[in-house]
Amino acid sequence: MLLKGGTVLDPAAGRSERLDIEIRDGRIARIGSDLNADIQTYDCDGRFISPGWMDMHVHLREPGFEYKETIETGCSAAAFGGFTAVACMPNTDPPIHTRDVVEFVIERAEQTAVDVYPIACVSKGREGKELAEMGDLADGGAVAFSDDGSPVQDAGLMRRALEYSSMLEMPIINHMEDLGLNPHGHMHEGSVSTRLGVPGIPGLAEEVMIARDILIAGFTGGAIHVAHISTADGVELVRRAKEDGINITAEVCTHHFALTDEEVERTGFSTNTKMHPPLRTQTDVDAMKEGLRDGTIDAICTDHAPHASFEKEVEFAAAPFGIIGLETAWGITGREIVDAGVLSVEEAVHKLCVSPRTILNLDVPVIRQGAAANLTIFDATTRWTFEARHIRSKSKNTPFVGREMVGRAWAVYNRGYFVQAEV
Amino acid sequence: MISEETTMVAERDDDTTLRRRHMLGLADYDRDEIELVLSTAREFREVLHRPIKRVPTLRDVTVVNLFFESSTRTRISFELAEKRLSADTVNFSASGSSVSKGETLKDTARNIEAMKIDMVVIRHRSPGAAQFLTSCVEAVVINAGDGAHEHPTQGLLDMLTMSDLFESFEGLNVSIIGDIAHSRVARSNIFGLNALGANVTVCGPQTMLPRGIEQLGVRATNRLDEALEGCDVAMALRIQLERQGVGLFPSLREYHTRFGIGLQHLERYKDLIIMHPGPVNRGVELASEVVDHERAVILNQVTNGVAVRMAVLYLLAAGVRSE
């Protein structure tokens, strides 16, 4: 196939150039100006072509919760959103805490356009007590360790985890939360939770844990990655830790720079405004954008968290946390980050393509002759409305239906598969 | 969406109905709406003093009292109000029901509605549960307490009780004392009293004052005397004894010492009126003598509760009839 007239974007170099790309047998056969060939040709005029994107924080639910999502449906959602790779969290059933589960997940994704990289458990059974067999998990193909959803509470365990993983040169990803400061909250603790009478989750619970893990990372030299950062003070802690040379990285979810806790009230307690960490305040939203701008926040992710409608169609306190995000990731980033002037297209793509792989020690795909074709074709200007029919995930739990998106991922190419968002 | 959940029923020419379909909370009620409920309640209160206390107003209207949280007085108060308006009444309480079999609130509500009901009175532990119900059923929904969010009929009966004692709400000083963070009674009173022009102070240990409470338009203090000085009405909230283990305060003894209202306060503040939503923990929020004092109007609140609920049922029944 021939991709004609697109602007090829190299986020690692921060460069863009108008080039045609000819793909044969899954590899880039030729790249150059005014290429012609008697094969299927796609007009990419007005669109960018970048190395395929990666969402480093998704929940694919398989094995165990296939009624919410499967690896296949999750990968469809990823491809729709412009991603050719995802890293999936281990809170499945069984959890990804033994090598056979790691291998199962990788194998299940082999017939899709999306590279699936399992993140394995820090602790056996995600119980926060004993280290999982990290070495064996790494040998099986795990790319990082996390007890996501169950923050590592024991500082001693976190110390051992960071020491042990440093030997493997792999990061620990912590869901930053001191549960003693959040025994039973359902939304951000602040003036909105006070008005609504909803038990709150204080930003403090996140900040205390970030501060602790910065100290432990500094002490051990291990690599700590802050999952779904959500508070202004948390961003400031990471900023200072980076200045101090701590081996720390951070990601932010698209909803945390797009929505505030006001959304809970505006929607009348919609359970699609309930996620963990919760939607915070405008101050926090502004801090997420500043953190992305100045490099404190390395990566943009979604924390794609599918839940079945019967689980979400309940009263607010009974609903599980989380929303899907793969399909809307670029449309929200385009609107809130690129269109709003926080980052250039190249910089935004860097956070979606280069940073996640750098953090996880994965090779970033390159666009050059002879390389395997791993591409995302997108634009940054199309204004469109996200609708339920765009959802590829098995679950529909998103607050973004009916919202305006700016920028569209049109297609991905990876592993020989060409997937167009809408055919 | 809030705008949908509180859909106004078709505009009417007269001002004798609430232009709302449901009563979910007082947060967006204005002065006229509250005054309408209070004046209607005063009319119904006359009924309560007649030898025959029943009027045919809600004949053929079926009301379900859906109580997912234990409650004695609110449920009985609603039930009496419904019966005195001649409504058909069904009670549903969580214990021994399908809820214990794992049925969702939505399914429970839809099953009950399939039996052709017109109005639902709901008490539930989750904030927003009443609003959620409006998205599940066609019936008119009345919130009888949703978590720590709102308890609008309690707020209205408190306001009716105050209006019996004071000429105007304008400039009236009301202090609410206790666990503000976990109180739906406090929220409904704050919203309603602010709309009527009263000045509200909240008082309690710092662990019970939620962050940003001042943004609701109240003054907050940890000192009981500061709350009672110049105060017209002191509303003590029930301390939920089961919360003691959560560590919001060290002991009941210490709570009573710092935040309990005793006879000494009634002597110091000569015109102070005492209210309490009940049930009272004697010797905790209020000294036992204060509960029985002539300036405590706790039983008036209970009587007014029936009248207010009759008024709310009546005013919202217009929405049933208009379908």
Side-chain angles (χ1 to χ4, degrees):
Chain A
M1 60 187 282
L2 184 60
L3 302 174
K4 219 169 155 43
T7 301
V8 175
L9 189 156
D10 180 351
R15 254 201 327 263
S16 304
E17 195 179 351
R18 199 178 153 108
L19 291 167
D20 300 338
I21 297 173
E22 185 185 329
I23 299 169
R24 288 186 190 273
D25 302 326
R27 307 200 81 83
I28 296 175
R30 286 196 296 163
I31 181 163
S33 300
D34 297 320
L35 297 185
N36 284 298
D38 190 19
I39 49 175
Q40 177 80 51
T41 301
Y42 295 91
D43 180 12
C44 295
D45 190 37
R47 292 176 186 170
F48 290 99
I49 302 173
S50 80
W53 301 343
M54 174 170 197
D55 186 342
M56 66 180 295
H57 192 142
V58 305
H59 298 268
L60 295 181
R61 304 301 189 203
E62 189 178 352
F65 304 102
E66 291 84 354
Y67 67 96
K68 297 175 194 259
E69 190 83 288
T70 63
I71 288 167
E72 188 186 350
T73 58
C75 287
S76 294
F80 179 93
F83 296 98
T84 63
V86 296
C88 60
M89 284 294 175
N91 56 339
T92 49
D93 184 21
I96 307 178
H97 66 161
T98 52
R99 182 171 175 164
D100 58 319
V101 189
V102 172
E103 290 168 347
F104 168 83
V105 170
I106 293 171
E107 194 186 307
R108 292 286 287 161
E110 270 168 8
Q111 302 304 311
T112 80
V114 179
D115 304 321
V116 174
Y117 297 100
I119 295 167
C121 298
V122 171
S123 66
K124 290 186 181 111
R126 304 173 60 248
E127 288 177 348
K129 290 174 185 158
E130 284 176 76
L131 290 183
E133 290 182 327
M134 294 169 118
D136 201 29
L137 290 160
D139 290 344
V143 293
F145 303 99
S146 179
D147 281 356
D148 184 46
S150 302
V152 176
Q153 296 300 292
D154 186 305
L157 181 72
M158 181 52 88
R159 175 193 169 167
R160 298 298 173 213
L162 279 166
E163 284 172 340
Y164 202 84
S165 67
S166 69
M167 172 180 84
L168 305 167
E169 296 183 345
M170 289 168 66
I172 301 290
I173 302 173
N174 200 12
H175 173 134
M176 297 291 182
E177 188 169 23
D178 183 323
L179 296 178
L181 287 165
N182 173 29
H184 51 65
H186 297 293
M187 68 176 290
H188 174 66
E189 180 178 337
S191 56
V192 181
S193 70
T194 290
R195 199 154 60 233
L196 297 181
V198 174
I201 302 172
L204 183 66
E206 173 171 312
E207 293 142 15
V208 163
M209 197 54 110
I210 292 175
R212 184 201 77 173
D213 284 359
I214 285 169
L215 292 170
I216 301 175
F219 184 78
T220 59
I224 186 79
H225 177 73
V226 181
H228 43 51
I229 196 164
S230 70
T231 71
D233 286 344
V235 172
E236 183 56 27
L237 285 165
V238 173
R239 183 175 289 126
R240 277 190 269 152
K242 284 189 166 184
E243 283 167 12
D244 292 344
I246 303 293
N247 196 350
I248 188 169
T249 50
E251 66 185 27
V252 63
C253 298
T254 45
H255 49 265
H256 284 129
F257 55 68
L259 301 173
T260 68
D261 57 348
E262 299 277 350
E263 204 65 13
V264 180
E265 185 167 26
R266 196 187 69 75
T267 60
F269 298 91
S270 165
T271 57
N272 286 334
T273 63
K274 182 177 177 180
M275 59 285 279
H276 202 189
L279 297 175
R280 305 278 187 189
T281 67
Q282 191 59 47
T283 304
D284 299 304
V285 166
D286 294 343
M288 297 307 122
K289 293 180 177 177
E290 179 55 25
L292 282 167
R293 200 195 57 73
D294 75 3
T296 303
I297 300 174
D298 302 270
I300 292 171
C301 68
T302 69
D303 194 5
H304 180 83
H307 290 294
S309 59
F310 72 85
E311 295 172 303
K312 277 290 200 179
E313 284 175 11
V314 295
E315 62 278 16
F316 197 76
F321 292 96
I323 58 170
I324 59 170
L326 284 163
E327 294 95 331
T328 51
W330 179 245
I332 297 168
T333 303
R335 190 185 72 199
E336 299 294 330
I337 303 299
V338 180
D339 201 45
V342 178
L343 297 177
S344 66
V345 175
E346 289 82 358
E347 289 164 337
V349 167
H350 195 280
K351 310 269 187 192
L352 283 161
C353 172
V354 179
S355 297
R357 293 185 173 94
T358 308
I359 291 164
L360 299 173
N361 300 310
L362 300 169
D363 291 334
V364 181
V366 289
I367 303 180
R368 66 163 173 255
Q369 194 170 323
N374 183 338
L375 308 168
T376 298
I377 303 165
F378 68 101
D379 74 50
T381 47
T382 297
R383 290 179 183 269
W384 57 295
T385 301
F386 184 69
E387 293 168 21
R389 68 184 176 85
H390 294 124
I391 296 172
R392 298 293 180 270
S393 169
K394 203 165 182 177
S395 295
K396 315 287 177 204
N397 50 314
T398 167
F400 291 109
V401 169
R403 302 291 182 110
E404 190 188 48
M405 306 274 128
V406 179
R408 189 81 196 258
W410 292 102
V412 295
Y413 190 100
N414 188 30
R415 295 170 159 180
Y417 294 96
F418 183 60
V419 184
Q420 291 173 280
E422 285 185 284
V423 182
Chain B
M1 304 288 150
I2 277 183
S3 57
E4 288 171 15
E5 308 298 359
T6 56
T7 309
M8 296 186 181
V9 294
E11 286 286 327
R12 289 190 183 73
D13 295 325
D14 59 281
D15 281 332
T16 57
T17 56
L18 279 174
R19 292 194 187 85
R20 293 174 189 268
R21 184 153 166 72
H22 311 288
M23 177 171 277
L24 305 179
L26 299 182
D28 59 350
Y29 271 57
D30 63 23
R31 178 190 300 246
D32 290 345
E33 290 175 295
I34 294 172
E35 295 284 8
L36 172 63
V37 178
L38 299 186
S39 63
T40 309
R42 280 185 210 103
E43 288 170 35
F44 279 117
R45 194 164 55 187
E46 298 307 311
V47 174
L48 297 176
H49 290 109
R50 291 182 201 160
I52 296 170
K53 298 182 173 58
R54 187 180 288 257
V55 291
T57 319
L58 291 195
R59 183 171 293 161
D60 298 330
V61 173
T62 307
V63 187
V64 176
N65 299 314
L66 205 52
F67 276 65
F68 293 92
E69 229 183 26
S70 65
S71 155
T72 308
R73 79 184 55 207
T74 302
R75 191 180 57 73
I76 290 176
S77 180
F78 264 107
E79 197 177 342
L80 272 176
E82 291 150 11
K83 292 201 156 122
R84 292 195 166 151
L85 291 170
S86 304
D88 295 321
T89 302
V90 183
N91 288 316
F92 174 101
S93 53
S95 55
S97 73
S98 49
V99 171
S100 47
K101 296 170 196 158
E103 191 173 57
T104 64
L105 171 56
K106 181 176 181 173
D107 283 337
T108 301
R110 291 181 69 169
N111 273 282
I112 291 172
E113 184 168 59
M115 300 173 202
K116 304 300 170 198
I117 53 140
D118 302 302
M119 304 178 90
V120 181
V121 176
I122 180 174
R123 157 73 60 95
H124 199 284
R125 60 187 292 278
S126 175
Q131 184 159 358
F132 171 68
L133 199 63
T134 64
S135 69
C136 310
V137 299
E138 293 296 317
V140 169
V141 174
I142 299 173
N143 184 6
D146 58 333
H149 180 221
E150 285 233 39
H151 192 355
T153 57
Q154 177 72 42
L156 289 163
L157 74 87
D158 292 335
M159 286 170 241
L160 179 60
T161 307
M162 291 179 215
S163 76
D164 293 337
L165 300 164
F166 298 92
E167 297 252 314
S168 165
F169 284 97
E170 204 63 55
L172 189 74
N173 294 311
V174 180
S175 291
I176 307 174
I177 298 140
D179 187 355
I180 309 299
H182 299 96
S183 176
R184 50 192 169 218
V185 177
R187 280 175 184 76
S188 288
N189 268 290
I190 289 167
F191 296 137
L193 288 167
N194 275 342
L196 292 171
N199 307 315
V200 180
T201 296
V202 295
C203 174
Q206 194 59 31
T207 47
M208 290 177 163
L209 297 183
R211 295 174 76 77
I213 187 71
E214 295 88 352
Q215 290 173 42
L216 299 192
V218 302
R219 181 178 70 129
T221 176
N222 303 129
R223 299 169 60 88
L224 184 59
D225 275 307
E226 211 166 274
L228 298 183
E229 180 75 45
C231 169
D232 298 303
V233 177
M235 185 184 298
L237 300 175
R238 176 179 165 78
I239 284 296
Q240 293 181 299
L241 299 177
E242 64 272 20
R243 286 200 195 283
Q244 218 190 330
V246 183
L248 293 178
F249 57 97
S251 69
L252 291 174
R253 175 179 163 275
E254 178 155 321
Y255 182 85
H256 182 67
T257 308
R258 297 183 85 90
F259 298 99
I261 299 175
L263 277 179
Q264 76 276 18
H265 296 105
L266 290 179
E267 282 161 21
R268 202 175 308 152
Y269 308 105
K270 296 291 184 201
D271 299 317
L272 184 66
I273 297 292
I274 302 294
M275 293 176 63
H276 191 295
V280 180
N281 299 304
R282 283 179 185 258
V284 182
E285 306 96 54
L286 301 174
S288 192
E289 301 82 358
V290 172
V291 179
D292 303 320
H293 197 276
E294 61 182 7
R295 279 192 272 142
V297 294
I298 299 167
L299 294 177
N300 305 33
Q301 290 173 266
V302 177
T303 306
N304 282 337
V306 179
V308 156
R309 286 165 183 133
M310 288 172 79
V312 169
L313 287 159
Y314 165 75
L315 292 169
L316 292 177
V320 173
R321 296 275 156 80
S322 69
E323 278 161 13

